[in-house]
Amino acid sequence: MKLKTFIDQFLAFTRKEFFHILRDRKTLLVLVVLPISQLLIFGFALNSSLAEMPTAVLDMSNDRMSRQIVSEIDASSTFKIVEYVSSMQEVDELFKSGKLSLVLVFMPGFEREIKRTGKGNMQVIMDASLQINASTLESYILATLLTYQQKINAGRELPIQIIPEVKMRYNPRLNSAFHFVPGVIGIVLMLVCSMMASLAIVKEKESGTMEVLLVSPVRPPVIILAKLMPYLLIGMINIVVILLISVFVLKVPVAGNIFLLFFVGTIFTLSSLALGIMVSVLTKTQRSAIIISIAGLMLPAITLSGFIFPLDSLSMGMKVIVHAMPVTLFISSARNIMIKGLGMEAVYPELCGLVVITVVLIAISIKCFKNRLS
């Protein structure tokens, strides 16, 4: 009898919990929609292979073998020859503009040297600010050159060797911290700021103090901006602390202007707060705000911002979408300033994007807040 009572109670409470979950749309969202969305992101948006990486050629030899090697590399789906340059100064400008992943350099007399000694030396200069990309591209280049060597050595008594001298720009030792630290700064700032700001308005709703705002003469823009200011100041302090830890503990130098980096970080912090405050205005409970912050902000920021996976591995459609995310723009700017030592001209597009996104998010928040008050 006791066993039957136990089973009946167990089944009754289990049925009740199932009904409770099915009625709770927010729980269903976490249990069903979140796993499906993550599967789609990892399955379709991300692609581990690199394709059509922009490549330049500085061919000071311009002989038959150098042209054959360039054709072999261009025929690969991994590389795409986008420029033929005539000097290292042009190469420097292309690297600084971010339009180049690597450059092939052939010194004068390349084929003549091969015929004389059986060995040919060429340079491969790579942008190693993204350590993952550089390591992968190096292996692809070596494999392509090995295939070419096997092709031309068929039937030869004395095999020919082509020895690439690989040089890594911006990160010669391929230190992984150079790749991850700027991303970590962006992720930490976004999570802290957006999650805290996402609770700012919704706490007023749950505590009942929203009624005070309803009858107060204070205008919605004043309320929204006042909510942002304390978090902005805390975020600016966080930027200083994070930069100090990055430089003195993690040993990642700031090659560019640290004040420019701080300025870009401040604008990014403001955009993250604007994103959080919009979530707070649109949600009714703190629980909903936290779920949206984690599922809608944190996971896409980690997987799609260039923090872990290079943006080159994303499909073209996803690249357009992720560049509308503030964290993507900040990580790109931070790497340009910290690792490449570039100035305002290099981060100007990302900075303008952050400003536009911030203004749009604040405007949406004010508009929605007015609608809630009316």
Side-chain angles (χ1 to χ4, degrees):
M1 187 65 182
K2 288 183 179 180
L3 179 61
K4 184 177 182 302
T5 302
F6 173 81
I7 294 174
D8 290 342
Q9 290 176 348
F10 172 76
L11 293 176
F13 272 90
T14 301
R15 193 181 304 113
K16 180 187 76 69
E17 289 301 317
F18 269 113
F19 288 145
H20 177 71
I21 292 173
L22 293 174
R23 286 196 303 266
D24 189 345
R25 294 182 180 179
K26 299 182 183 67
T27 303
L28 279 177
L29 182 70
V30 175
L31 294 176
V32 179
V33 177
L34 184 58
I36 292 174
S37 64
Q38 292 304 302
L39 177 63
L40 292 175
I41 288 173
F42 282 102
F44 293 102
L46 295 175
N47 184 357
S48 60
S49 62
L50 299 175
E52 296 190 345
M53 303 302 291
T55 305
V57 177
L58 175 55
D59 190 354
M60 293 178 281
S61 181
N62 196 27
D63 50 41
R64 180 180 58 87
M65 294 196 74
S66 66
R67 291 194 295 269
Q68 284 180 351
I69 292 173
V70 170
S71 295
E72 195 79 19
I73 290 173
D74 194 29
S76 166
S77 61
T78 306
F79 306 98
K80 181 180 181 181
I81 306 297
V82 294
E83 291 280 351
Y84 284 86
V85 296
S86 57
S87 67
M88 285 303 299
Q89 184 179 355
E90 292 182 59
V91 171
D92 292 338
E93 291 173 359
L94 287 171
F95 271 125
K96 289 179 180 178
S97 67
K99 297 178 181 177
L100 203 61
S101 293
L102 71 157
V103 60
L104 309 173
V105 181
F106 298 90
M107 301 307 291
F110 176 73
E111 185 173 6
R112 185 170 62 250
E113 185 68 18
I114 289 178
K115 290 179 178 178
R116 189 174 65 87
T117 64
K119 294 182 180 180
N121 294 299
M122 60 177 289
Q123 282 188 352
V124 180
I125 306 173
M126 295 187 180
D127 180 350
S129 58
L130 294 178
Q131 178 256 345
I132 296 176
N133 272 15
S135 300
T136 305
L137 291 179
E138 183 181 8
S139 64
Y140 284 162
I141 280 285
L142 294 176
T144 304
L145 291 176
L146 179 60
T147 302
Y148 175 73
Q149 283 180 196
Q150 291 172 345
K151 186 187 300 184
I152 63 174
N153 283 330
R156 283 180 177 267
E157 293 182 6
L158 297 175
I160 289 173
Q161 273 188 305
I162 298 171
I163 305 168
E165 180 188 356
V166 180
K167 293 186 176 181
M168 299 294 181
R169 280 279 183 99
Y170 309 122
N171 186 6
R173 297 181 181 179
L174 290 182
N175 187 342
S176 61
F178 282 43
H179 172 82
F180 285 111
V181 167
V184 169
I185 294 173
I187 296 295
V188 168
L189 285 175
M190 196 212 74
L191 292 184
V192 171
C193 296
S194 61
M195 193 166 293
M196 293 305 298
S198 68
L199 303 176
I201 300 292
V202 76
K203 280 194 295 187
E204 304 273 4
K205 299 174 187 176
E206 287 195 337
S207 63
T209 53
M210 181 61 75
E211 284 73 14
V212 178
L213 295 177
L214 291 171
V215 297
S216 70
V218 182
R219 297 175 63 82
V222 175
I223 296 173
I224 295 296
L225 294 176
K227 289 283 186 183
L228 292 176
M229 282 306 105
Y231 297 115
L232 178 61
L233 293 175
I234 295 171
M236 292 169 71
I237 295 172
N238 281 336
I239 294 172
V240 174
V241 173
I242 289 171
L243 288 178
L244 290 173
I245 293 173
S246 301
V247 173
F248 295 106
V249 178
L250 300 176
K251 305 299 181 183
V252 178
V254 179
N257 190 319
I258 194 167
F259 296 104
L260 176 60
L261 181 59
F262 178 79
F263 176 68
V264 174
T266 301
I267 301 298
F268 168 64
T269 299
L270 187 57
S271 68
S272 298
L273 291 171
L275 194 59
I277 208 76
M278 186 181 72
V279 171
S280 189
V281 169
L282 295 175
T283 53
K284 296 181 179 180
T285 65
Q286 295 185 58
R287 179 185 172 192
S288 301
I290 292 174
I291 290 174
I292 292 174
S293 296
I294 294 174
L297 301 181
M298 183 179 75
L299 294 177
I302 291 175
T303 56
L304 300 176
S305 63
F307 168 53
I308 296 177
F309 303 101
L311 294 181
D312 297 300
S313 66
L314 297 177
S315 63
M316 186 55 66
M318 287 303 299
K319 284 182 183 178
V320 176
I321 295 173
V322 300
H323 277 92
M325 296 166 51
V327 66
T328 304
L329 300 177
F330 173 77
I331 290 175
S332 175
S333 300
R335 283 178 178 148
N336 282 334
I337 297 170
M338 293 182 69
I339 310 305
K340 297 184 179 181
L342 304 182
M344 175 63 82
E345 68 282 354
V347 301
Y348 181 75
E350 286 87 355
L351 188 58
C352 289
L354 286 172
V355 171
V356 170
I357 291 171
T358 303
V359 172
V360 170
L361 291 174
I362 292 177
I364 292 173
S365 300
I366 293 172
K367 179 68 175 176
C368 294
F369 191 63
K370 283 181 179 178
N371 293 337
R372 292 293 175 93
L373 290 179
S374 60

